[in-house]
Amino acid sequence: MGVSIIGTGGYQPGEPISTSRINELVGPLPPEVAEGLSIHTRYWMIDPDTGAHHENNSDMAYKASLAALDLMILATGTPDYPLPGVVSFVQEKLGLVRCATLEIRSGGAGWVQGLDLARMYLEQGTYSTALVIGSEAISPVLAPIFLGKDPHKIRMRDRMPVYMFGDGAGAAACRRRAVGRNRGWAHHGRR
């Protein structure tokens, strides 16, 4: 058996926030640092002026998830609450009564780890389909750095994360398939 990604979905909240807007919130970066920054816009689920939440992590994960499947793996380093997991809220929002779930509390590489776990379960025949979601809600953690503060008094090391991170979710629907039908992911897995 092999595994194919059969569909993807993504979601970014609100309007894009420009680097010039971040300059207003936390002050500018030194020119040599700003030149190396390749991020020009980012998306936040909070209002940058007030910190009010427009939505939460599970809302973004739900909006990135488009199919009902029998296994759902979600990776996040920024859950809505310590318990229950974000994946439980997404399962409920999708209306999936019978669906195995797994949550990986890891940012960055967590989605790739989730994809590897999905591949393993699908290749073993434990499940036939899986939805792997990566969803991060960083802006609520960033808001205390700048809300109600003079941008010019914010330390440089505290400014950097505000420039670097945004919120969003991505999802990939995966399905078990017979090897040989399609030269894809199954032939490029671990050796």
Side-chain angles (χ1 to χ4, degrees):
M1 288 286 145
V3 176
S4 295
I5 293 177
I6 57 173
T8 60
Y11 178 76
Q12 294 174 309
E15 295 296 318
I17 299 171
S18 68
T19 296
S20 61
R21 178 69 175 116
I22 299 298
N23 276 337
E24 296 170 9
L25 295 173
V26 298
L29 293 174
E32 64 276 8
V33 174
E35 286 174 19
L37 187 66
S38 62
I39 301 166
H40 302 289
T41 59
R42 73 279 299 136
Y43 294 82
W44 287 356
M45 59 181 246
I46 65 166
D47 182 313
D49 295 317
T50 66
H53 287 234
H54 295 296
E55 53 197 321
N56 59 35
N57 196 334
S58 57
D59 291 329
M60 292 188 305
Y62 164 71
K63 291 173 182 176
S65 305
L66 304 174
L69 305 163
D70 57 13
L71 170 64
M72 187 173 10
I73 300 173
L74 188 141
T76 186
T78 54
D80 295 348
Y81 309 99
L83 287 172
V86 174
V87 72
S88 299
F89 293 112
V90 177
Q91 178 186 9
E92 181 180 14
K93 289 176 184 184
L94 287 170
L96 301 174
V97 177
R98 295 180 49 114
C99 179
T101 63
L102 172 70
E103 183 162 309
I104 301 169
R105 290 285 167 97
S106 173
W111 186 84
V112 176
Q113 294 164 341
L115 195 60
D116 196 39
L117 285 170
R119 180 193 52 80
M120 179 194 70
Y121 280 121
L122 297 176
E123 285 180 347
Q124 289 176 352
T126 306
Y127 302 104
S128 59
T129 57
L131 181 63
V132 181
I133 308 163
S135 187
E136 293 298 342
I138 303 292
S139 62
V141 177
L142 300 175
I145 294 171
F146 61 84
L147 285 178
K149 297 183 180 171
D150 179 349
H152 301 294
K153 292 185 179 179
I154 297 173
R155 295 181 304 183
M156 192 57 58
R157 69 177 181 200
D158 294 332
R159 291 178 189 185
M160 286 304 297
V162 182
Y163 278 90
M164 301 295 294
F165 295 107
D167 303 330
C174 307
R175 179 174 45 209
R176 183 178 65 229
R177 62 170 171 73
V179 173
R181 282 184 30 208
N182 179 359
R183 293 195 158 277
W185 186 19
H187 296 286
H188 299 289
R190 283 193 254 178
R191 304 217 186 265

